[in-house]
Amino acid sequence: NSPPLLVSAEVALSEERVRAFLERQVFPHLDPMWVSLDRLSKAPDGSSKKAYSTKMLDRLSSAIKAFVARAQASDNAALAPHDAGGARG
């Protein structure tokens, strides 16, 4: 009858790990989009493909890390023992 073991996904998923996953598994699937945009020789923000791709990878990594942190925080709040001030109901 031991208490549940809580493991933090936020700690396990560092921004670097998220970024590496996205770089390996997601961004290669976006190359067909660049084939059609390369004729313009500029990304939507006016930068090069490499600069824009790096910026988007960084933004997406940060967004995913923030989402995991918020989700983990709300899960921890839901699982935290309530104050001993009496029964709720």
Side-chain angles (χ1 to χ4, degrees):
N1 286 338
S2 62
L5 174 65
L6 299 176
V7 178
S8 173
E10 180 185 4
V11 172
L13 293 174
S14 68
E15 194 168 326
E16 292 78 25
R17 289 184 75 180
V18 171
R19 188 181 198 288
F21 172 81
L22 291 171
E23 196 167 24
R24 277 190 326 273
Q25 301 294 328
V26 176
F27 271 60
H29 296 285
L30 301 179
D31 270 350
M33 178 183 75
W34 286 108
V35 171
S36 62
L37 292 178
D38 277 346
R39 290 190 190 105
L40 300 174
S41 74
K42 290 188 177 182
D45 68 351
S47 66
S48 69
K49 172 187 173 184
K50 183 174 177 81
Y52 186 76
S53 182
T54 299
K55 184 165 73 172
M56 290 300 102
L57 181 59
D58 290 342
R59 289 179 120 180
L60 189 55
S61 299
S62 295
I64 290 172
K65 179 64 177 173
F67 173 80
V68 169
R70 282 192 310 271
Q72 189 76 39
S74 74
D75 285 349
N76 285 343
L79 294 175
H82 294 289
D83 292 336
R88 296 180 184 222

